[in-house]
Amino acid sequence: MSATAEHQTYTGALKGEPNKSFEEIWAQPRGIRSLTSVSHRVVGKRFIVTGFIFFLIAGLLALGVRTQLIVPGNTFLDLQTYNQFFTMHGTLMMFLFAIPILEGFGVYFLPLMLGARDLIFPRLGAFGYFCYLFGGIIVLSSFLFDAAPESGWFMYTPLTTKEYTPGLSADFWLIGITFAEIASVTAAVELIAAILCARAPGMSLTKMPIFGWYILITAFMIAIGFPPLIIGSVLLESQRLLGLPFFDAAFGGDPLLWQHLFWIFGHPEVYIIFLPAAGFVSTMLPTFVGKPIFGYGFLVAAIVTMGFISFGLWAHHMYATGISPVSLSLFSAASTMVAIPTGIQIFCFIATLAQGRPRFTTPMLFVFGFLFIFVLGGLTGVMLASVPFNFQVHDTYFVVAHLHYVLIGGMVFPLFGAFYYWVPHFTGRMMSETLGKWVFWLMFIGFNTTFFLMHVTGLRGMPRRVATYPEDIGWDRLNMLSSIGSYILAAGIALFVIDFFRHLRSGEPAGRNPWGAGTMEWFYPTVAPGYNFRAIPPVRSREPLWDQPELNEDPAAVGGVLRAYPDHRRETVGCDPLSGEPLHIARLPHPTWVPLFTAFAIAVMFGSLLVSAYWVTAGAFVAMMAGFTAWAWEPSDSGVTRDAGLGYRLPVDKADRRSHTYIAVIGTLLILGALYFSLVFGVLYLWNTFPDFAARIARPDPLMAGGAIAAAVLMAVGAMAAKWLSMRDRFLTAALTGVVTAALGAATAGLLYLAIADIDRNATALGATAWAIVAYVGVLMFIAIWWALFNALRKLTGRTRPGQHVADFNFSPFAKGVALFAATTGALLLAAQGALP
Amino acid sequence: MTTRKNQAIALAAPITIWAVHFIALYGLISASCGPRMLMPIAVMQMTTFIVTVVALIGAGLPLIRVPVRHQGDDLATAIRVCALISVIAIIANALSFPFFSSCGG
Ligand code: HEM
Ligand SMILES: [Cu+2]
């Protein structure tokens, strides 16, 4: 038991707004100050709108590609522009449209469905959005400088190295996309914590709408799947900027290492795109069938196993690179196995349909379109998973056809269904059913015309990524029809946009729960107020609006927790991740400029890196650190308990292993660990593949490496001691221990540096990668030191009151994680000393 | 340990074991078929066999003893299906290993 109970008499919130009513506390800032908004409703909408704009831009690029290919020998686009168009098309679609827009739906709808007033880390959401926006702008701005990336969306080396791509185009890609990926991983942590830790009272994991499971597993996949590409991009960018030879075969580097890192990300990416879209489908189906989803348990199992198995097939994109047949058999096995969870999901969808008579609304049409197209894409996928067939059609239009069947069928059709389904929630009005059916049929017919024929074009041998082709080898008519199909598809999308603007003014008002759905986002009449729930009602069913009649009465009067707001703060209820029982009151931040400021500082940092203005980079770094510090500095509200209604008396911001902040630290460690192991993978891979080069490297210093391990262990002990002391309110000694912990962290990093000081990082790729690992651990240590000193400073300046332990409680696992990475690095260096021949 | 906690573990464990098994096999292949040829292929196959048996036992446990909280517990279904898929996928990982007499094709 902590000291919490003794300090209940504190007046609660330092940042409360005692003169404001509940509605005023939650009011959205207007005008220019709307940029300070942190509400998930605002941030989610921004993600969706921005993502859709990127979709339109990427679509226009695709039309350019199709127009170029409409007749043989066409000169509509010159060769370089053509390369830029398909590269930017793939890049924008995959990185700046698909993932962010799906995350936007998660950000917007999860709190509503789960019974929370906001996403659990509102500022992080806003920060992630701005990172995404600025990253996207960096990538797009390359067109202005006539330096658009042109090496294909997977940026293979050596084509993308300085020698073969001298200008800035590859740098735009690497820096801009990495920046946007930071947004994706922050959103992932945020979604994990929000799903696990902020649900309505009584909503256990099995009472959670299936959409929650879909997004939860997607978020975990992003946390593990994006780091390999982030590492790959950072390595490639430092090869381009600093000349480190990571992928340079002349120095024992390997272009295939890039392919591994890229596809360890790239294949799961496809499932990261598919899963949330399947989540839309399983949310819409029950509504229109009027029955709960069939086989909830089966679906959960399918989602979880798919999340894992989809990581085991990356090398099926590398079948043609000469990987040993034994490994091919392993990857082929996983490629086949992933069909099981996919099949289970499709089966559950069809069984749900079979339970009742579905209403053929526009969203339902899109669901049918999804089933039809995605299943076809799955079939060609099975064909591609067979190694001999794969050799045959590798890099032909067959692959382009397959990937669009899976991506457009699996993601774009559900997405448009979701637009029609949820638009009333955003705007309070319905879109036209008549026009909607037109949109669907135009898209469906246009899509199949364009892409079905591409299978044939591919089987007739037409390679992808060629800007033109000769007459009379049997490709003309097929290409002509494909291009016409793409115009029909585009007409459908244009009609959607027109109808959207039309409905804003003259759409029918939607009222309350227009589709008769069972999930909680329809609890209020549209448009729901920004706080989502006046009081958060207990949930006893997976379809609460169907099974709990009291929820269909006046939503402002429905009984629940947190009706009173004694401290005049934004707050929501934090729950036990498994049972959904209320655990504590989570205080939420009010509007602030800090996320925008910090994201902007990072944008300047990356932008100046692009133009080699390193002084600006340094200045922006300082601004970024200042931003993060200001972010964390705000006074803590914890250490008190409050009546929450319905008989609950809950602590505020509890220091607990089940609280959102702790879970977020664990989630962050997961990401940091994935980054770390991507580097370790690189080291092991290079060491194993090029023994000659490994033999040339200087040996690390064993004494220093051993010392680093010892210092890392002591640092972890220090962090634990600081926590122990702090939990007992011994703040002075805790602060001093924190300072010692920071010093030990610095010592660890310094010793690791000394251990590898003799290794020449320019001479071999393996040596450079060893440096990269130590540099990475150094960055983590820097963060740990910063955090330890920050905690100490707050205690020494009297900002921590008795009973407030969250900061030290959460620092401890972080320090332990970082110490573990450091110690592992030390152990690897020791092994290199002894074991490397 | 509450039943809920057991259930969470039983849900996540089998497929995590699949992941570890996959990584182990990938590592074994790389060790045996990489330029360093750290172990003969027969040793690699033997190790694969042992690793697979251990993994199957671990991943199969929830099939035999599922923690159930109440009748019609969806999580119990999810646990069973998850474990079943994991077991099949582990077998698939290792299935073709015995049939290779060398690394080259
Ligand atoms: C909206 C209609 C779309 C059309 C008409 C279209 C058309 C095309 C065409 C013709 C190519 C091949 C270019 C070439 O190889 O020369 C291509 C490539 C590609 N498309 Fe699409 N596409 C569409 C939507 C999408 C969507 C929604 C996604 C992803 C979510 C996507 C992802 C890709 C990717 C990753 C490539 C490969 C780019 C590369 O080779 O680097 N496309 N698209
Ligand atoms: Cu793949």
Side-chain angles (χ1 to χ4, degrees):
Chain A
M1 193 48 213
S2 69
T4 311
E6 300 153 29
H7 299 287
Q8 290 168 7
T9 46
Y10 279 124
T11 50
L14 287 171
K15 291 189 92 182
E17 298 172 304
N19 305 322
K20 290 191 174 177
S21 70
F22 185 81
E23 276 73 16
E24 285 164 343
I25 292 170
W26 282 92
Q28 291 310 324
R30 301 258 151 235
I32 181 76
R33 291 185 54 84
S34 65
L35 290 175
T36 64
S37 179
V38 289
S39 157
H40 78 107
R41 299 276 293 280
V42 174
V43 173
K45 257 188 277 188
R46 285 183 183 158
F47 264 110
I48 294 170
V49 171
T50 314
F52 195 75
I53 292 173
F54 279 118
F55 172 69
L56 293 180
I57 298 173
L60 286 177
L61 293 171
L63 288 185
V65 165
R66 277 319 321 168
T67 305
Q68 163 66 15
L69 295 175
I70 191 165
V71 288
N74 201 358
T75 52
F76 173 67
L77 299 175
D78 62 60
L79 297 184
Q80 191 194 7
T81 315
Y82 184 87
N83 290 351
Q84 293 179 338
F85 269 37
F86 76 72
T87 301
M88 288 294 270
H89 163 71
T91 303
L92 294 184
M93 284 291 188
M94 299 300 270
F95 295 102
L96 300 177
F97 156 62
I99 304 273
I101 205 169
L102 294 171
E103 282 187 334
F105 273 90
V107 165
Y108 186 96
F109 283 110
L110 276 171
L112 286 156
M113 288 183 177
L114 302 180
R117 289 201 181 127
D118 203 336
L119 217 49
I120 199 78
F121 298 112
R123 286 175 297 183
L124 196 63
F127 170 74
Y129 170 73
F130 288 120
C131 287
Y132 158 55
L133 179 68
F134 295 142
I137 290 176
I138 290 180
V139 176
L140 262 191
S141 68
S142 62
F143 272 122
L144 298 179
F145 301 93
D146 197 21
E150 48 186 336
S151 332
W153 82 284
F154 33 69
M155 296 291 286
Y156 278 174
T157 60
L159 180 58
T160 45
T161 58
K162 247 326 188 246
E163 292 85 332
Y164 301 103
T165 306
L168 284 180
S169 70
D171 306 304
F172 271 109
W173 193 101
L174 292 167
I175 288 176
I177 292 299
T178 302
F179 194 13
E181 286 187 330
I182 298 179
S184 295
V185 291
T186 55
V189 175
E190 154 128 58
L191 290 171
I192 292 173
I195 296 170
L196 290 178
C197 306
R199 302 194 301 266
M203 187 188 277
S204 66
L205 275 185
T206 31
K207 295 218 179 71
M208 186 161 81
I210 194 76
F211 187 66
W213 280 98
Y214 272 107
I215 300 288
L216 179 66
I217 299 299
T218 308
F220 273 111
M221 291 177 70
I222 293 177
I224 307 277
F226 277 42
L229 179 60
I230 294 178
I231 287 295
S233 302
V234 171
L235 296 188
L236 183 50
E237 186 56 27
S238 42
Q239 170 159 347
R240 292 179 56 89
L241 274 182
L242 313 172
L244 300 176
F246 295 106
F247 305 106
D248 190 339
F251 295 89
D254 193 348
L256 282 187
L257 176 60
W258 168 266
Q259 291 202 20
H260 278 292
L261 290 174
F262 187 89
W263 287 117
I264 295 176
F265 148 82
H267 190 89
E269 153 103 344
V270 178
Y271 289 83
I272 292 171
I273 292 174
F274 169 72
L275 280 175
F280 297 163
V281 171
S282 42
T283 309
M284 291 185 277
L285 267 177
T287 301
F288 294 114
V289 176
K291 295 265 164 51
I293 191 91
F294 177 89
Y296 184 90
F298 282 85
L299 275 176
V300 170
I303 301 165
V304 173
T305 49
M306 187 178 232
F308 278 79
I309 298 180
S310 62
F311 276 90
L313 0 69
W314 78 86
H316 71 205
H317 297 267
M318 303 165 62
Y319 278 167
T321 59
I323 294 181
S324 92
V326 198
S327 349
L328 283 191
S329 77
L330 180 64
F331 288 108
S332 215
S335 302
T336 321
M337 282 304 118
V338 82
I340 300 181
T342 318
I344 292 179
Q345 288 176 68
I346 301 289
F347 175 79
C348 288
F349 295 157
I350 293 177
T352 308
L353 274 175
Q355 282 181 321
R357 197 171 296 140
R359 287 185 276 155
F360 278 90
T361 56
T362 305
M364 257 325 258
L365 278 181
F366 278 98
V367 169
F368 279 111
F370 149 78
L371 285 172
F372 180 83
I373 300 173
F374 185 75
V375 168
L376 279 181
L379 290 180
T380 51
V382 175
M383 291 164 78
L384 285 169
S386 121
V387 178
F389 182 81
N390 188 299
F391 281 153
Q392 194 60 38
V393 295
H394 178 75
D395 263 350
T396 68
Y397 263 85
F398 191 90
V399 175
V400 178
H402 158 72
L403 80 95
H404 286 89
Y405 263 79
V406 179
L407 287 170
I408 297 187
M411 186 258 169
V412 176
F413 274 80
L415 180 72
F416 273 77
F419 280 144
Y420 278 98
Y421 183 69
W422 275 312
V423 134
H425 204 286
F426 299 111
T427 66
R429 291 172 187 275
M430 308 293 284
M431 284 177 72
S432 157
E433 276 290 304
T434 322
L435 289 179
K437 293 196 168 120
W438 274 94
V439 171
F440 171 77
W441 284 111
L442 283 171
M443 285 180 69
F444 186 77
I445 293 170
F447 168 80
N448 282 297
T449 316
T450 312
F451 291 101
F452 188 79
L453 297 174
M454 280 188 196
H455 292 114
V456 186
T457 326
L459 288 173
R460 291 202 185 165
M462 178 159 168
R464 66 195 279 200
R465 298 179 169 172
V466 289
T468 190
Y469 53 92
E471 239 171 305
D472 297 332
I473 47 176
W475 299 348
D476 339 12
R477 189 165 313 139
L478 290 168
N479 271 304
M480 165 80 80
L481 288 172
S482 275
S483 296
I484 294 175
S486 71
Y487 302 146
I488 302 177
L489 175 54
I493 294 166
L495 187 59
F496 169 82
V497 175
I498 293 169
D499 185 28
F500 181 81
F501 284 108
R502 186 202 60 80
H503 107 287
L504 283 181
R505 268 177 295 107
S506 51
E508 236 177 273
R512 192 171 181 183
N513 199 357
W515 307 107
T519 37
M520 290 275 274
E521 77 270 28
W522 301 106
F523 175 61
Y524 264 91
T526 58
V527 174
Y531 44 78
N532 299 353
F533 300 94
R534 183 57 191 81
I536 300 173
V539 165
R540 294 185 304 274
S541 151
R542 229 174 267 152
E543 285 85 19
L545 296 192
W546 289 351
D547 300 339
Q548 295 178 229
E550 77 276 13
L551 296 182
N552 293 314
E553 282 151 31
D554 175 13
V558 167
V561 291
L562 295 186
R563 178 171 294 282
Y565 51 109
D567 296 320
H568 290 76
R569 284 285 315 258
R570 292 187 178 189
E571 54 195 10
T572 193
V573 66
C575 70
D576 177 276
L578 302 176
S579 69
E581 273 304 296
L583 179 70
H584 65 154
I585 297 171
R587 287 280 156 85
L588 301 170
H590 294 200
T592 153
W593 288 101
V594 171
L596 176 59
F597 173 82
T598 315
F600 187 71
I602 303 180
V604 172
M605 199 165 98
F606 282 156
S608 58
L609 214 55
L610 257 174
V611 293
S612 312
Y614 297 121
W615 282 108
V616 183
T617 314
F621 175 78
V622 174
M624 174 190 82
M625 290 310 293
F628 281 129
T629 310
W631 187 325
W633 188 254
E634 81 161 27
S636 167
D637 276 359
S638 62
V640 292
T641 56
R642 290 283 179 263
D643 274 324
L646 300 186
Y648 289 108
R649 188 168 177 87
L650 301 175
V652 170
D653 286 335
K654 193 170 186 221
D656 192 291
R657 286 220 166 82
R658 294 165 295 170
S659 84
H660 55 287
T661 47
Y662 188 89
I663 300 268
V665 172
I666 302 299
T668 308
L669 280 175
L670 199 67
I671 295 171
L672 299 177
L675 289 167
Y676 181 74
F677 283 103
S678 304
L679 284 167
V680 171
F681 172 79
V683 159
L684 292 176
Y685 178 88
L686 291 173
W687 172 78
N688 190 39
T689 317
F690 302 107
D692 303 348
F693 283 96
R696 276 187 229 162
I697 300 176
R699 293 285 163 265
D701 185 333
L703 201 65
M704 297 298 158
I709 297 179
V713 172
L714 287 176
M715 171 196 162
V717 173
M720 278 147 57
K723 169 181 150 189
W724 191 89
L725 290 165
S726 160
M727 296 294 276
R728 280 151 191 79
D729 288 342
R730 294 201 211 139
F731 287 152
L732 187 63
T733 34
L736 294 178
T737 317
V739 174
V740 174
T741 309
L744 284 165
T748 313
L751 286 166
L752 281 177
Y753 167 77
L754 291 176
I756 60 156
D758 284 341
I759 297 180
D760 183 352
R761 57 182 178 273
N762 292 308
T764 58
L766 182 55
T769 317
W771 271 86
I773 291 199
V774 172
Y776 173 64
V777 173
V779 171
L780 295 187
M781 278 300 173
F782 175 78
I783 299 169
I785 293 166
W786 192 273
W787 191 348
L789 293 179
F790 177 91
N791 283 356
L793 190 64
R794 273 177 74 111
K795 286 197 232 20
L796 294 176
T797 53
R799 303 238 154 200
T800 311
R801 296 175 305 189
Q804 301 192 325
H805 314 128
V806 181
D808 287 292
F809 188 83
N810 290 343
F811 175 63
S812 169
F814 183 80
K816 279 188 265 184
V818 172
L820 179 68
F821 300 144
T824 311
T825 311
L828 279 173
L829 292 175
L830 281 181
Q833 166 63 26
L836 292 193
Chain B
M1 281 290 236
T2 61
T3 322
R4 279 190 202 277
K5 247 191 191 152
N6 281 334
Q7 284 193 322
I9 294 169
L11 183 68
I15 194 68
T16 310
I17 294 176
W18 170 86
V20 174
H21 180 254
F22 183 91
I23 295 171
L25 262 55
Y26 183 67
L28 282 167
I29 298 172
S30 307
S32 170
C33 295
R36 283 182 187 268
M37 291 187 277
L38 293 174
M39 61 174 76
I41 190 145
V43 176
M44 186 268 273
Q45 283 162 326
M46 223 22 243
T47 323
T48 304
F49 182 75
I50 297 167
V51 172
T52 305
V53 171
V54 174
L56 281 177
I57 294 172
L61 272 182
L63 278 178
I64 304 163
R65 283 201 53 189
V66 192
V68 184
R69 285 186 49 247
H70 53 82
Q71 262 253 300
D73 184 351
D74 281 319
L75 211 51
T77 316
I79 291 166
R80 281 196 203 98
V81 178
C82 231
L84 185 64
I85 297 177
S86 308
V87 164
I88 299 174
I90 289 171
I91 296 174
N93 277 347
L95 199 60
S96 57
F97 274 58
F99 302 107
F100 287 94
S101 52
S102 75
C103 290

